[in-house]
Amino acid sequence: MNNLKKAPPVLILEDVAVAYKIRGGEIEAVQNVSFEINRGETHGIVGESGCGKSTVAWAVLNFLGANGYVKRGSIKFQGQELVGVTGEELRRLRGDQIAMVYQDPMQALNPSMRLGDQMSEVLTVHRDMDKKEAEKRCIEMLERVYMPDAANVMNRYPHQISGGQQQRVVIATALLNNPALLIMDEPTTALDVTVEAVVLDLIADLRREFDTAIMYITHNLGVVARVSTRVGVMYAGEMVERGTVEDIYKDPQHPYTQGLMRCVPKLGADKASSILYPIRGRVPPPNNRPVGCVFSPRCDYVREICHNKRPELLEFSSGVSVRCHFAGEIEADKWSPSDDILPPEIITDTSPREPILKLDNLKKYYEVQGSSLKDILGLGEQRYVKAVENADFDLPRGTTLGVVGESGCGKSTLIKTIIGLEQTTEGHAEFMEIDITDEISTRGEDVIKELQMVFQNPDSTMNPSYTVGQQIGRPMKRFSTVPKDEIRGEVIKLLESMRLGENYYDRLPRQLSGGEKQRVGIARALASHPNLVLCDEPVSALDVSVQAALLNLLLELQQEYDTTMMFIAHDLSVVRFFSDQVAVMYLGQIMEIGPANAIYAPPYHPYSEALLSAVPIPDPSAEQKHIRLEGTVPSAINPPDGCRFHTRCPRRELLPDGGAICETEMPPWRETAEGHRIFCHIPLETLNTFDPVITQKPEGSNHVS
Amino acid sequence: MKAKTKKKSRLQKFWDSVSLILASRVATVGSIMVLFWLVLAFISLFWTPYDYNASDFLQNLGPNPQNWLGTDHLGRDIFSRLMKGTQVVLLKTRLPGEGNIIIPGGVAIWGVIGSMALGVTMGLNAGYRGGWWDQVIMQILDALIAFPRIVLYLVVIAALGQGDLVVILAISITGAPGVARLARSLAMDIKTRDYIRAAETRGESVWYIMFKEILPNASGPLLVDGMLRVGYAIFAIGTLGFLGIGLPPPDPDWGNMVNEARRNIFSNQLAVIWPALAIATLVIGLNLFADGLREEMTRYQK
């Protein structure tokens, strides 16, 4: 790995500090960051949000906005100092020598220009190439990023290709000038897991092929493990640890890195691997960082010196450098969780309980308004988006059903239909023996009260105009579950069970962090003591350490109140530990449903298998089967006949005639002993022969038979 | 103890808003201009240099030590009349009927309150409910906008006669479509937020969601718009006064002052210029104030 001797590094950052001017002073967003990137190396930068990852990238490009500037230190790119470079010189560097790939490809591409024009612009501007030649180069480049039908894509507009393909176009554009440095800022965060897997493969290939230095910024430890050679871990504007991927993941030295590793779900074969231990507290805001070590308020090993003196960067012979006073002395193996972050013990009650929610072939179709004259006159054939098709399951009282699937698979529509924000198109749904196929405005208060929801986005889950207390108290007032004069006491009790104190009662949403807002959102949903709580990705917008704490909290509350839950997530590993039952959805159809353990071990549905193999795992020693889905998710307006997954199914060949039956007939439900159902034509005996997707490399002993 | 902390926070709040205004140079200048007229209006409640309706002086005098701004065609002191004229605009409204009942708040202020109430109700209904509600309400409003404003004024006043209340009504009706459009767009944005979903899953009534969940979050832009509208209303009062169908006597009305002095414009230009300047400075002051405030409010929004 040590190619320092070969050539000088492409990029050297030395003791860089970036400051933003604000009203009445300035904030140092980034301090003392030093690292270098060599040719052909992917240097990952990980950290939670607000840690200054993107600021470092922008500092390299001098893209800090009107009020930001590099306060100290130097940034050398191929020997040239970048700090202070402005105007024409900078413009020539950007997009030529240094290229950048952003998070959302939809926003990185101009929707009103053909892709070919956008791409060739890079060459005609920076290289003075004539248009014909530029186009030829573009097509070549598109082919190198495995774009199918490259010549044709040049003539299309961004909305005509899928998200994964858009990101490929952005990457191809970035590579056109063969830049010496490629900065990627969360390039796969906006993509679905199966698409993300393909893009990550591409990035890994490109590094080998192009010999470019890549700076890869992400919050996802799993993604870094897959693409990087070296990793820098950032915390509160400082780089706290840096080393090769193997060293960092196997033997993290800094207490923050260790803590981070413990709060990421691992998705191993056994359930214990998905126990999460959150880091207590939260990331300090840039204007209020502690005097000594930035991590000291949250550190388990904190001593006197940590509060007073900032630690220096200690370099080890292995090449790992750590910013901690006690680096090398802390052994992660000897760590044991303190009481306040211990996950709740799970009492699994195996006695069957009566179902609280019964769905029977539930369907939700949306009418689509066509644009032809015939459609407008109402003569054309009515078309539907088939958002949910034949949802059919029982949910026993006190259990949790996790629903996973990629975006657009209908999981949100499913819970919206159950809660009554949408009207059921067909089928039956019963909740506590009451029919709930109608809309919420026609439902009785007794049903409304028992069915509540937790939302995804912490920034919009709370009304910014009301205090925490008012918002949690409102359901109590509305359903008169608590006498008026006792509401305050009841709200405070609820706040305390959310681990928020009484002092939160009068706070406004803008004074809370994302995790705290989400806790208030949960408290509001629980305020009327509902029997069923529907959670729509409640943790996916949160940082891992916060996410872990919230998941543990939810689990605890569920046991305390004996609430039944439906839990939507796109992240398979989050659902793993949390749910008793898991349902995997694809294009409106439940493909597989069963006890959580059964989903993550063979027999798999081919789609679940592909999903599992796409999830990036924050463990370089874990081996994952390499299954990549081809093509894109078909439109829900015209879903494929037969099995909806047949157009992309990698396991079809296992059936006679290459799976001709999949194209015409709906598959049967194949049921195993423990209530595990798989919606597939492939017989169970064959499905049983699949290997587990994730195995530990050499010393892996926990195979599931 | 409790009341004390609350009081302190209110003072703090007041100081916060003052510092917000001071942070913007535009808003500071605007607020100085508006404050100037407000102070004059308050003084005029108790004292004006001379009786505003008495012809005590020679006609069409230029500015002189007795009459700072000169006199008009009937020999009345222009400065006294200007001072008194601020009252009907900003401070008082005369109700019709016996006994000269006066309520606080000027015609411009009530007119804007009226158009806000009307416009917000229609806009929230159109924006939040959508569908047919949106169609019908917006069609009505578009039809209203299609009429020239002056024609609308004339129709209202011809139908209802002259008086402060009628002017308020005219301003309310002509201002409502603009407010409604703003309220509608805000409602359409805010109704996509999760907290509205939360209210819906709580089974809240439509009116609760519109006025308790949406309106408080739309109030910032609406208030700024309202402030701009006070400027437009003063302008409208001026226009009506100029047409001779504005606020009825005995109180002097700036627009009417321009109208009357217009006949002698060749002998006494200043008598036209002073009231025109008064309208202009007050309107510009309000506009600057509202603009600066909006800028300052959006600058630190997340």
Side-chain angles (χ1 to χ4, degrees):
Chain A
M1 272 297 117
N2 205 347
N3 33 11
L4 271 168
K5 291 155 215 145
K6 275 198 230 155
V10 176
L11 183 75
I12 309 173
L13 269 77
E14 228 166 272
D15 206 27
V16 170
V18 179
Y20 287 102
K21 290 185 191 123
I22 55 157
R23 203 194 308 193
E26 60 177 29
I27 285 177
E28 277 193 30
V30 166
Q31 293 169 326
N32 304 89
V33 169
S34 320
F35 63 92
E36 75 276 324
I37 307 180
N38 296 307
R39 283 197 88 80
E41 182 187 46
T42 305
H43 192 289
I45 294 180
V46 271
E48 298 178 272
S49 56
C51 283
K53 309 180 294 277
S54 294
T55 306
V56 170
W58 291 332
V60 172
L61 281 171
N62 200 352
F63 205 55
L64 291 163
N67 59 343
Y69 69 105
V70 178
K71 197 175 172 190
R72 286 189 302 273
S74 84
I75 301 172
K76 281 211 174 76
F77 171 69
Q78 294 182 325
Q80 184 194 357
E81 179 64 50
L82 285 185
V83 177
V85 172
T86 47
E88 185 60 23
E89 207 174 339
L90 187 69
R91 202 182 64 77
R92 249 185 290 124
L93 279 173
R94 289 179 185 167
D96 186 17
Q97 294 293 302
I98 305 173
M100 193 150 175
V101 175
Y102 301 91
Q103 178 171 347
D104 192 351
M106 198 62 187
Q107 284 174 32
L109 295 169
N110 186 340
S112 63
M113 275 172 84
R114 287 180 200 278
L115 292 166
D117 296 338
Q118 298 188 40
M119 288 183 74
S120 49
E121 207 174 51
V122 177
L123 290 170
T124 47
V125 167
H126 284 292
R127 289 280 137 97
D128 285 328
M129 215 175 257
D130 70 79
K131 207 148 165 63
K132 265 244 171 74
E133 204 187 333
E135 258 164 37
K136 220 179 90 212
R137 283 279 301 276
C138 291
I139 294 173
E140 278 168 24
M141 190 55 76
L142 281 176
E143 272 159 3
R144 287 180 84 166
V145 297
Y146 313 119
M147 176 70 85
D149 198 12
N152 207 339
V153 165
M154 296 281 289
N155 288 324
R156 292 197 213 164
Y157 289 97
H159 68 269
Q160 292 170 313
I161 60 176
S162 71
Q165 289 178 332
Q166 285 174 355
Q167 197 61 298
R168 269 184 249 185
V169 172
V170 175
I171 292 171
T173 314
L175 289 172
L176 271 175
N177 278 331
N178 208 354
L181 175 67
L182 181 61
I183 299 174
M184 300 188 134
D185 192 356
E186 309 251 10
T188 60
T189 308
L191 307 173
D192 274 322
V193 256
T194 54
V195 183
E196 174 181 75
V198 177
V199 174
L200 289 180
D201 289 348
L202 169 69
I203 293 170
D205 279 358
L206 292 176
R207 193 192 72 227
R208 258 169 256 140
E209 225 175 281
F210 278 79
D211 205 29
T212 305
I214 300 178
M215 179 167 159
Y216 194 99
I217 297 170
T218 180
H219 68 279
N220 189 328
L221 286 161
V223 169
V224 172
R226 195 175 276 179
V227 295
S228 319
T229 44
R230 280 160 163 271
V231 189
V233 180
M234 286 198 73
Y235 178 76
E238 290 184 9
M239 194 166 274
V240 291
E241 183 165 2
R242 199 174 149 252
T244 61
V245 170
E246 287 77 15
D247 286 338
I248 297 267
Y249 282 77
K250 243 201 280 167
D251 188 20
Q253 297 294 320
H254 195 279
Y256 174 65
T257 322
Q258 294 171 0
L260 213 52
M261 294 297 166
R262 281 190 289 263
C263 58
V264 186
K266 289 278 178 358
L267 199 67
D270 57 334
K271 192 160 182 166
S273 69
S274 51
I275 295 179
L276 310 174
Y277 303 101
I279 306 173
R280 79 171 92 86
R282 54 154 132 163
V283 183
N287 54 359
N288 195 16
R289 288 191 180 133
V291 187
C293 169
V294 279
F295 190 59
S296 60
R298 304 175 75 189
C299 185
D300 283 331
Y301 306 96
V302 66
R303 282 183 231 173
E304 191 58 38
I305 188 172
C306 304
H307 291 303
N308 308 321
K309 198 171 159 248
R310 283 190 51 184
E312 294 297 319
L313 202 62
L314 293 175
E315 202 148 331
F316 289 83
S317 53
S318 59
V320 176
S321 44
V322 184
R323 194 180 281 279
C324 176
H325 288 300
F326 306 106
E329 295 171 32
I330 297 166
E331 288 171 56
D333 306 340
K334 298 222 175 97
W335 179 84
S336 66
S338 56
D339 287 341
D340 55 329
I341 60 167
L342 210 57
E345 210 152 296
I346 305 165
I347 315 134
T348 25
D349 189 3
T350 43
S351 61
R353 302 179 68 178
E354 84 282 10
I356 192 169
L357 180 74
K358 287 192 228 168
L359 299 188
D360 187 13
N361 276 326
L362 190 81
K363 285 181 187 157
K364 174 66 201 171
Y365 292 176
Y366 293 101
E367 286 182 16
V368 203
Q369 186 71 56
S371 52
S372 72
L373 185 64
K374 226 166 137 191
D375 290 327
I376 291 166
L377 294 173
L379 299 172
E381 193 191 345
Q382 183 60 55
R383 293 189 307 163
Y384 298 96
V385 171
K386 299 181 176 170
V388 175
E389 186 89 270
N390 301 335
D392 190 314
F393 58 84
D394 289 355
L395 186 56
R397 188 181 280 272
T399 59
T400 304
L401 171 71
V403 182
V404 287
E406 298 176 276
S407 58
C409 72
K411 46 192 196 311
S412 288
T413 312
L414 178 63
I415 64 165
K416 272 188 193 153
T417 315
I418 293 172
I419 206 164
L421 290 173
E422 305 285 355
Q423 192 159 9
T424 309
T425 311
E426 228 182 283
H428 283 288
E430 257 178 35
F431 171 65
M432 303 193 314
E433 258 103 66
I434 303 168
D435 178 81
I436 51 158
T437 49
D438 52 349
E439 252 184 76
I440 197 156
S441 52
T442 55
R443 285 184 189 177
E445 212 159 87
D446 48 333
V447 182
I448 293 175
K449 190 174 85 182
E450 301 293 351
L451 248 179
Q452 288 293 307
M453 192 164 164
V454 177
F455 298 90
Q456 173 176 7
N457 187 347
D459 291 326
S460 78
T461 191
M462 290 181 73
N463 191 326
S465 305
Y466 295 102
T467 63
V468 169
Q470 284 171 319
Q471 302 204 36
I472 300 177
R474 177 65 199 171
M476 299 180 186
K477 214 189 276 173
R478 161 110 181 88
F479 301 119
S480 325
T481 47
V482 181
K484 264 215 168 103
D485 46 334
E486 288 168 30
I487 285 180
R488 191 184 161 93
E490 202 50 42
V491 170
I492 287 167
K493 242 167 76 190
L494 206 52
L495 277 175
E496 267 154 15
S497 66
M498 291 293 147
R499 309 250 167 88
L500 302 168
E502 190 184 339
N503 55 337
Y504 279 82
Y505 190 89
D506 285 318
R507 293 211 197 163
L508 284 167
R510 62 177 140 85
Q511 295 162 308
L512 306 181
S513 71
E516 287 167 339
K517 282 184 212 164
Q518 217 52 349
R519 280 166 200 241
V520 175
I522 294 168
R524 184 181 58 194
L526 291 175
S528 61
H529 294 286
N531 275 325
L532 176 60
V533 176
L534 308 173
C535 305
D536 188 358
E537 309 230 15
V539 295
S540 47
L542 304 174
D543 279 320
V544 273
S545 67
V546 186
Q547 172 180 322
L550 206 68
L551 283 174
N552 287 345
L553 179 72
L554 264 175
L555 210 55
E556 201 172 292
L557 288 168
Q558 190 200 6
Q559 281 175 7
E560 193 183 325
Y561 292 95
D562 194 29
T563 321
T564 319
M565 281 196 185
M566 265 178 84
F567 188 97
I568 288 188
H570 62 267
D571 187 342
L572 282 154
S573 39
V574 165
V575 172
R576 169 76 203 249
F577 181 65
F578 191 74
S579 315
D580 304 300
Q581 302 255 331
V582 174
V584 181
M585 283 185 84
Y586 178 79
L587 207 58
Q589 175 80 53
I590 294 178
M591 288 295 176
E592 182 175 14
I593 184 168
N597 295 349
I599 300 286
Y600 295 84
Y604 299 111
H605 186 282
Y607 177 62
S608 314
E609 190 187 19
L611 265 186
L612 278 170
S613 78
V615 178
I617 300 177
D619 183 2
S621 67
E623 198 137 314
Q624 228 170 339
K625 259 199 275 187
H626 188 90
I627 301 172
R628 297 289 179 258
L629 294 181
E630 278 171 21
T632 55
V633 184
S635 156
I637 296 181
N638 232 331
D641 288 332
C643 175
R644 290 196 169 183
F645 189 51
H646 81 248
T647 51
R648 303 172 73 196
C649 184
R651 293 287 188 183
R652 274 174 67 182
E653 312 89 75
L654 293 176
L655 286 169
D657 301 334
I661 188 171
C662 301
E663 292 174 24
T664 49
E665 266 175 63
M666 283 272 238
W669 281 105
R670 310 229 176 242
E671 197 157 349
T672 69
E674 56 222 326
H676 178 197
R677 293 184 292 153
I678 297 173
F679 196 61
C680 188
H681 283 293
I682 304 172
L684 266 186
E685 298 79 62
T686 321
L687 291 174
N688 264 323
T689 58
F690 292 1
D691 291 327
V693 171
I694 298 150
T695 42
Q696 286 297 314
K697 245 178 212 167
E699 66 270 10
S701 55
N702 38 11
H703 280 273
V704 175
S705 49
Chain B
M1 179 67 204
K2 194 146 206 204
K4 210 172 181 182
T5 54
K6 199 148 205 182
K7 211 171 188 179
K8 200 185 163 198
S9 80
R10 192 166 291 170
L11 195 78
Q12 192 114 39
K13 250 183 175 171
F14 175 72
W15 180 244
D16 281 351
S17 18
V18 170
S19 65
L20 191 73
I21 295 166
L22 291 180
S24 154
R25 205 172 295 167
V26 176
T28 315
V29 171
S31 60
I32 288 171
M33 290 164 79
V34 175
L35 272 178
F36 168 77
W37 284 110
L38 267 178
V39 168
L40 271 194
F42 272 108
I43 294 173
S44 75
L45 286 175
F46 310 104
W47 177 82
T48 47
Y50 305 99
D51 185 352
Y52 61 90
N53 260 347
S55 308
D56 289 345
F57 306 95
L58 289 173
Q59 294 160 2
N60 291 330
L61 284 180
N64 60 63
Q66 276 88 44
N67 315 103
W68 293 346
L69 304 181
T71 61
D72 66 2
H73 62 288
L74 294 176
R76 296 174 295 194
D77 180 47
I78 291 182
F79 185 56
S80 301
R81 288 180 67 74
L82 276 187
M83 276 176 79
K84 191 74 185 170
T86 47
Q87 281 185 22
V88 270
V89 175
L90 294 175
L91 287 186
K92 66 171 189 190
T93 300
R94 297 155 298 172
L95 296 184
E98 300 293 306
N100 293 330
I101 310 159
I102 287 171
I103 53 169
V107 171
I109 311 285
W110 282 110
V112 170
I113 291 173
S115 57
M116 296 293 276
L118 207 64
V120 164
T121 312
M122 294 207 283
L124 288 183
N125 272 295
Y128 175 65
R129 294 179 195 244
W132 277 105
W133 281 84
D134 191 19
Q135 280 289 326
V136 172
I137 291 174
M138 291 325 283
Q139 293 296 349
I140 294 172
L141 293 177
D142 284 346
L144 262 181
I145 288 175
F147 279 105
R149 233 166 232 222
I150 302 229
V151 175
L152 264 186
Y153 290 141
L154 286 173
V155 167
V156 173
I157 287 161
L160 299 171
Q162 227 173 338
D164 288 9
L165 275 189
V166 179
V167 174
I168 290 175
L169 196 70
I171 293 172
S172 299
I173 290 173
T174 47
V179 179
R181 281 170 174 275
L182 180 64
R184 173 176 175 266
S185 67
L186 288 166
M188 283 168 81
D189 174 23
I190 292 169
K191 83 169 176 184
T192 61
R193 311 273 162 90
D194 284 344
Y195 54 84
I196 305 297
R197 289 295 88 62
E200 284 168 358
T201 55
R202 249 188 346 252
E204 302 281 10
S205 76
V206 177
W207 291 97
Y208 179 90
I209 292 175
M210 286 192 301
F211 283 91
K212 290 274 188 163
E213 298 276 349
I214 296 179
L215 186 57
N217 298 305
S219 58
L222 282 172
L223 277 179
V224 171
D225 183 62
M227 239 168 273
L228 279 174
R229 268 171 204 288
V230 174
Y232 302 152
I234 293 165
F235 226 79
I237 296 170
T239 312
L240 290 176
F242 184 79
L243 293 173
I245 53 172
L247 302 172
D251 283 40
D253 167 28
W254 292 347
N256 205 14
M257 285 167 73
V258 176
N259 184 29
E260 284 169 2
R262 172 179 61 98
R263 286 170 214 138
N264 306 304
I265 195 162
F266 297 109
S267 53
N268 186 6
Q269 295 87 350
L270 281 176
V272 177
I273 288 172
W274 293 125
L277 204 62
I279 295 173
T281 48
L282 186 48
V283 173
I284 290 171
L286 278 162
N287 277 353
L288 289 179
F289 181 62
D291 269 350
L293 208 59
R294 172 165 48 203
E295 210 168 272
E296 215 45 43
M297 274 163 79
T298 46
R299 179 176 300 172
Y300 294 103
Q301 229 166 34
K302 245 190 105 180

